[in-house]
Structure formats: C-alpha cells, structure tokens
Amino acid sequence: MNWSEFFHMGGYAFFVWTSYALTLIIVVANIISPIRQRKKVISRIKRAIKREQLQQSNE
Amino acid sequence: MWNWIQRFSSPKYFYSMSAVLIPWFAVGALLVGLYGLYLGLFVAPTDYQQGESYRIIFVHVPAAWMSLFIYMVMAVSSGIGLIWQIRLADMVAAASAPIGASFAFLALVTGMLWGKPMWGAYWVWDARLTSELILLFLYLGYMALQSAIEDQRSADKASGLLAIVGVVNIPIIHYSVEWWNTLHQGATVTKFDKPSIDIDMLIPLLLMAVAFKLFYAAVVLVRTRNEALYRDRNRRWVRELIAQL
C-alpha cells in the first residue's frame, strides 16, 4: 500500500480524516483547557490575597 | 476506617498525591494511543462490507464508551458526595462533566461522519443516536447547574441529583440497538458471546479504548486539582501553596 492510496481511504477520505482530525481537536482542547483553567484559578487566588493584604494595611 | 477515608479524601492530600500520577497516565495514553493508531490505520484489514470507512470505529467507539464511562464516574461520585459529604467526590464529578461532554460530542459527530457514507444520512432520529444526544444534554445540564448556582454545596446537590437521575439513560443507550429497530449496528464487542469482530480489528479498538481511559485519568486529575484549589481558596493549605508559586 502506498501513501496516496492510504490517504485516499478507498474513497472515504473525507469521512475518515475528518473524524480523526476532530478527535485530535477534542484531545488537544482537553489538554489546553485545564491548563488555562489552572492559570486562571491561581491568578484569581493571588489577586484575592493581594486585596486582603491591602485592606489589612489600610485598617 | 472513617478517619482513614477522611484523611485520604482530603483535597490537600489528593493535591500532592495526584501530581505523581498525572505524568504516568499522560505518557501511557500517548504510547498506547500511538500504537493503537498504527495498528488501526496500517495493520487492520479492510472491512469486506464497509471498505475503509469502518476505520472511523477506532475513534468513534472508544469515544462513545468513554462518554458512558465518564457519566458513571460522575454519577457515582455525585452519589458519594451527596450521601457521605466527601468533598473530593463532588470535585471529581464537576471535573468529569466537561470531559464527558466532549467525548459524547465526539461520539455523535464521528458517528454522523460514519453514518453518511454507510446509511446515506448524517442524522436519523433513531434510538441509539437520540439517547446519546440526551447524554450530551445531561452533561451540559450538569455543567449549567454547576455554574448557575452560586453556593457550592447547593450547586453540588442540584447537579449531583441530575447526574444520578440521568443514569437511567445509560442502559437505554447500551440496549437501544436491541430494544428498538435501528440503523445502528448491534454490539460486536460488549456481549457475552465471542466478539463478532476480527481479532486484527479488535486489538487496535481495545488499545484505543485503553488510551482514551488513560487520557481521561490524566485530564480529570488536573481538573480535580483545579477544583480543589478553587474551592479551598480560603483555606490555609491553598494559601501556603499559592505563596510558594
């Protein structure tokens, strides 16, 4: 089997490769999203800590 | 016994333990997944009825299995959270929902892409497809309840109840191909008989299923850690941890 035959997928190239591309997108999204979520949570807590320190020093 | 469970389910303990596990799950998922893809795309023979289009099975079926598996994880942890008030269980449930939703979506779309060349239509309102679509809506409903209710305990209670009631949909999805006349093909692997699928197709399918499970394990751990940090944001262990970052 050569490469062009492989990519042709017996005429079903669009359906097969779209499925695999979508799977890749879902996998990548599942990797990126929790990493971004973690950064957001940490920066939010850091801001809250700073705010509390400011309030304490103002009192 | 109770003290023991309390200690090991404390978000603080979980946070430090999970850090060790995540890379193992992630690397495992990558290696098993690449090998599964190789066998599935290059080694597995062409199907005598469906030609090459059947190769969608190697992403479609693991995604569908995962959407069911993650739902059960979500419902069982919601139950544990409701009954025994174990906060970590509620965090696992909340962390699982978006992953499960993404796999349910993937199962539906790859199914459509397989249905078009084989059945002649992207979508038919048949029992298997409809019940899987309801599963996606259950996930989305859970997530909507989680984000709509301000108080975390009430949010966990409401969304947890939805998750538990929605379990009734799981056997409906599984047996839909037997109970109703459907275009969707019957089970070929998850039945008591010998699987009616060629061994060279079965092995990559199972490898992909294992890879998806390992991938879920890694992602759900990262997400549960985020939940733990956020929900415990006013507790000392998080404050100390953030100060070091």
Side-chain angles (χ1 to χ4, degrees), chain B residues 124-146:
Chain B
V124 284
W125 289 102
D126 105 324
R128 174 54 75 81
L129 281 68
T130 308
S131 53
E132 180 75 18
L133 183 65
I134 290 170
L135 183 73
L136 175 62
F137 290 156
L138 282 170
Y139 277 122
L140 298 180
Y142 180 99
M143 289 158 69
L145 275 178
Q146 272 286 332

Side-chain angles (χ1 to χ4, degrees), chain A residues 20 30 33-34 37-38 52, chain B residues 15 55 102 223 226 239:
Chain A
Y20 277 84
N30 266 309
S33 145
Q37 188 190 34
R38 179 181 161 81
E52 284 161 26
Chain B
Y15 191 90
R55 289 186 200 278
S102 74
R223 280 190 173 277
N226 295 345
R239 290 300 168 99

Side-chain angles (χ1 to χ4, degrees), chain A residues 6 20, chain B residues 27-45 54-59 62 199-212 214:
Chain A
F6 174 72
Y20 277 84
Chain B
V27 172
L30 183 69
L31 294 180
V32 176
L34 286 178
Y35 189 53
L37 275 180
Y38 166 73
L39 290 184
L41 289 175
F42 295 97
V43 179
Y54 94 93
R55 289 186 200 278
I56 295 173
I57 200 175
F58 300 120
V59 288
I199 189 76
D200 287 334
M201 298 176 182
L202 180 62
I203 288 171
L205 181 59
L206 294 180
L207 282 175
M208 290 302 283
V210 169
F212 274 43
L214 290 169

